[in-house]
Amino acid sequence: MKQSSTVIRLVSLIALMLINTTKVHANTTVAQSTNIENNSKPNIIFYLADDQDITDYGVYGNEKVHTPAIDKLAQEGMLFNRAFTAQAICAPSRTQLFTGKYPLKNGAFANHTPTKPDISSVTKQMRELGYQVVLAGKSHVKPASVYDWDQEWEPVPKEGVPRDYIPLENIERYFKSATKPFVMFITSKYPHGKYFDVKNPEVEDIKFHPFDSHLKSDKAYIKKRAGYYRSIAEDNTQIEHVLKMVDKYLTDNTLFIYSADHGVSGKFTVKDIGLNVPFVARWPRVIKPGSTSGQLIHYTDVLPTFMDIAGGKQDSSMDGKSFLPILEGNDAPIHQYVYGIRTNQNIINAHIFPSRMIRDKRYKYIRNFNALEVLDKNLTDNPNINVFIRQGAMKHKDEPFEELYDLDNDPFEQINLINDPQLQNVKQRLKTQLFSWMAEQGDILDERLGNLPIISAPLFKLDQNRPPLRTSVSKEHQNILKPEDYYVIEHWENKK
């Protein structure tokens, strides 16, 4: 009798354990499927910093900056060494992410200008594949008809810091309540200036490179860099908050990508310090922790990759290609070349000095279309236009018409090899491919000298001296350009 009672109790205990195990499994299953209708489709989060050099992360070799969140992200995922944007400036860089097209093709190749109104951006493309598309933070893109976010939250003021914060409360609320797969772009205002005011910075606290080593005794530069470093640390704090929320509320079927829209030290240029961007991806179910890739990838690849992940096919007009195979461990090339452009009109310090570049894994070719050495061939029969063509050439008087760099041996592009007799075949190959690409893009420039259109920049006019313009136009040259002097970009003039 005693033995029978013991057996009954044992059976009851086993049954209770099985029930509890089932409950735990059920709860785990519910937790794992929370926020997503179809668990095979991952959530996708893209965190974008603003104006940060690839050289200014611990994981990219700068031990003097505070970036533990990104360093840890790289340990848990994949670090890309050759990721690029085509333009080292805010709006044109972002439009590539959102459209899969280079700025010349999507139409926003000057800052503060709109994308062509007939383009289907990430909002429409991913919505058709069952995703919600969300922007949390800085926008800087237009028109709203192209970028019609399902949810959009602007940056929020925060005391004691120089820039607005990302909308952390909205992000957390969304993570907790989302009922279908989503793509969320979290777009920070950091470390873009205005920077923190760091008191009495030391030169030993700053890491220098060939492009700024001559400034080691410049106190103003050291103070500015110290403030920039402090702003990087503040952005790291924001990222830490986001990653904690991701790990708390979302499943491990979540792709998290970190990048920065361009480098501040190469802003407005086509140097790698401006165009080569940090790019780190974590996806626990897919990406091998601690992996790296040296393949060329580009911001135009981001949307095609997202569409590939979601089970769709990219639009044939897109310039990018999916790098999903690289994330999955197949580290094979997807591009032989990437491209970059510079448009110095419609910026605060507006002038005429457009450039184009092409780059493979080792070599880079640059064409500066209004270099001083070809100025005479660019002048027109219109003296008013010639005033500003001359000004642009003089502002960049030390930049040659053509540049060629061996990036394996000269990553900071200090030694121009354009006349090296052993590299003439490389030069010709890159130059031919660049002008072929420009024609495909519908570029307003081509290989001819003397073809230097002055674009109808809507905000910062070449012949005006109003704030915040810094061109210092002399009185005699103010308001001398007429509408017919400009090359009109139709969708800039008639934006909706």
Side-chain angles (χ1 to χ4, degrees):
M1 192 74 177
K2 198 171 183 182
Q3 186 176 2
S4 173
S5 175
T6 301
V7 169
I8 291 171
R9 281 199 301 272
L10 186 59
V11 169
S12 299
L13 183 61
I14 292 169
L16 185 61
M17 289 173 64
L18 287 171
I19 290 169
N20 287 336
T21 301
T22 303
K23 284 181 179 178
V24 168
H25 178 73
N27 289 338
T28 302
T29 303
V30 168
Q32 287 178 343
S33 62
T34 297
N35 307 321
I36 193 164
E37 288 178 349
N38 181 352
N39 205 35
S40 66
K41 287 189 175 183
N43 293 317
I44 302 171
I45 300 166
F46 194 107
Y47 190 106
L48 188 67
D50 196 347
D51 280 28
Q52 185 169 345
D53 294 344
I54 189 173
T55 51
D56 292 330
Y57 298 83
V59 75
Y60 282 109
N62 188 343
E63 71 286 355
K64 297 185 178 184
V65 291
H66 185 76
T67 58
I70 305 308
D71 301 345
K72 185 172 184 287
L73 200 66
Q75 292 170 3
E76 297 171 344
M78 178 177 289
L79 181 79
F80 288 83
N81 291 311
R82 291 192 180 99
F84 287 84
T85 178
Q87 216 163 339
I89 192 168
C90 289
S93 186
R94 291 157 196 265
T95 61
Q96 298 163 80
L97 291 172
F98 300 151
T99 67
K101 299 180 180 185
Y102 277 95
L104 292 167
K105 188 183 284 186
N106 74 45
F109 62 91
N111 211 21
H112 310 286
T113 55
T115 300
K116 293 176 182 176
D118 59 345
I119 284 180
S120 292
S121 76
V122 63
T123 56
K124 294 177 177 63
Q125 299 284 2
M126 293 302 289
R127 192 178 294 130
E128 289 179 2
L129 296 171
Y131 277 72
Q132 284 196 325
V133 189
V134 180
L135 180 70
K138 177 179 176 178
S139 172
H140 216 296
V141 294
K142 53 189 175 184
S145 59
V146 172
Y147 303 108
D148 56 332
W149 311 100
D150 292 306
Q151 295 276 353
E152 181 178 2
W153 310 298
E154 294 183 355
V156 295
K158 182 177 171 66
E159 289 187 9
V161 296
R163 304 281 284 169
D164 291 345
Y165 246 51
I166 57 173
L168 288 166
E169 289 185 6
N170 297 90
I171 293 168
E172 182 171 24
R173 205 158 35 238
Y174 188 87
F175 285 173
K176 290 167 68 174
S177 62
T179 57
K180 61 191 301 185
F182 63 83
V183 174
M184 180 183 288
F185 291 95
I186 302 176
T187 47
S188 173
K189 282 193 168 186
Y190 285 91
H192 190 295
K194 177 183 178 182
Y195 301 133
F196 282 85
D197 182 11
V198 176
K199 306 297 183 184
N200 304 315
E202 300 289 340
V203 65
E204 293 79 15
D205 297 331
I206 307 299
K207 183 158 187 172
F208 291 87
H209 302 279
F211 61 83
D212 66 351
S213 59
H214 63 290
L215 297 170
K216 287 183 179 180
S217 60
D218 186 327
K219 291 183 179 180
Y221 181 78
I222 293 167
K223 184 173 179 62
K224 183 177 181 180
R225 292 297 281 184
Y228 161 69
Y229 278 21
R230 174 65 185 85
S231 290
I232 289 172
E234 192 67 26
D235 199 39
N236 187 88
T237 299
Q238 293 189 117
I239 297 161
E240 287 175 339
H241 285 312
V242 172
L243 288 172
K244 283 178 183 176
M245 290 189 286
V246 169
D247 294 341
K248 181 176 181 179
Y249 298 115
L250 305 178
T251 75
D252 61 358
N253 193 20
T254 300
L255 170 60
F256 189 101
I257 296 176
Y258 169 87
S259 188
D261 62 350
H262 60 272
V264 65
S265 297
K267 197 179 181 83
F268 309 124
T269 78
V270 287
K271 299 292 189 181
D272 269 17
I273 193 60
L275 300 181
N276 186 193
V277 292
F279 204 93
V280 186
R282 184 188 76 171
W283 189 1
R285 292 193 183 184
V286 176
I287 296 173
K288 181 182 176 182
S291 53
T292 62
S293 176
Q295 301 300 339
L296 289 168
I297 67 166
H298 197 270
Y299 268 14
T300 57
D301 300 327
V302 169
L303 178 53
T305 301
F306 289 179
M307 295 175 71
D308 193 7
I309 289 169
K313 292 184 179 180
Q314 71 182 74
D315 185 325
S316 60
S317 68
M318 289 179 183
D319 295 312
K321 298 179 182 178
S322 172
F323 55 81
L324 177 58
I326 297 176
L327 299 179
E328 294 173 330
N330 179 19
D331 196 45
I334 62 169
H335 294 294
Q336 184 177 1
Y337 305 108
V338 292
Y339 306 88
I341 74 172
R342 166 163 64 173
T343 304
N344 284 305
Q345 286 189 243
N346 216 46
I347 60 175
I348 289 174
N349 198 0
H351 52 276
I352 301 171
F353 198 82
S355 304
R356 304 289 183 264
M357 85 85 183
I358 180 173
R359 188 198 196 281
D360 62 18
K361 278 190 174 181
R362 180 171 180 177
Y363 294 104
K364 172 190 275 191
Y365 172 80
I366 299 172
R367 169 70 67 95
N368 298 309
F369 289 83
N370 194 27
L372 191 59
E373 64 194 90
V374 295
L375 171 61
D376 289 346
K377 296 176 181 177
N378 281 330
L379 296 176
T380 72
D381 56 4
N382 184 328
N384 291 341
I385 291 176
N386 290 343
V387 167
F388 299 101
I389 291 177
R390 282 195 187 93
Q391 283 184 358
M394 290 303 298
K395 183 174 179 61
H396 297 269
K397 63 182 184 298
D398 296 325
E399 294 190 49
F401 179 52
E402 294 182 298
E403 302 173 66
L404 182 67
Y405 297 102
D406 178 350
L407 299 163
D408 280 358
N409 297 306
D410 180 23
F412 290 102
E413 300 164 63
Q414 302 293 297
I415 304 169
N416 185 6
L417 301 173
I418 197 67
N419 295 318
D420 188 323
Q422 296 183 348
L423 294 177
Q424 293 310 296
N425 287 340
V426 172
K427 169 188 167 182
Q428 193 56 48
R429 168 174 61 86
L430 294 176
K431 189 162 77 168
T432 300
Q433 181 59 36
L434 174 64
F435 285 106
S436 174
W437 173 79
M438 288 170 60
E440 292 170 3
Q441 290 284 309
D443 202 333
I444 62 173
L445 301 173
D446 55 36
E447 197 165 2
R448 295 171 297 162
L449 293 171
N451 175 37
L452 200 66
I454 301 175
I455 59 177
S456 56
L459 287 183
F460 304 116
K461 302 295 185 183
L462 294 166
D463 62 346
Q464 293 179 12
N465 212 22
R466 59 182 175 78
L469 209 59
R470 298 175 187 159
T471 47
S472 300
V473 181
S474 64
K475 237 179 185 180
E476 62 180 311
H477 295 140
Q478 289 180 23
N479 302 308
I480 62 173
L481 293 176
K482 298 178 172 54
E484 57 266 28
D485 294 333
Y486 290 101
Y487 182 97
V488 176
I489 311 295
E490 193 65 33
H491 70 280
W492 293 0
E493 302 293 318
N494 301 309
K495 61 182 182 294
K496 294 179 181 178

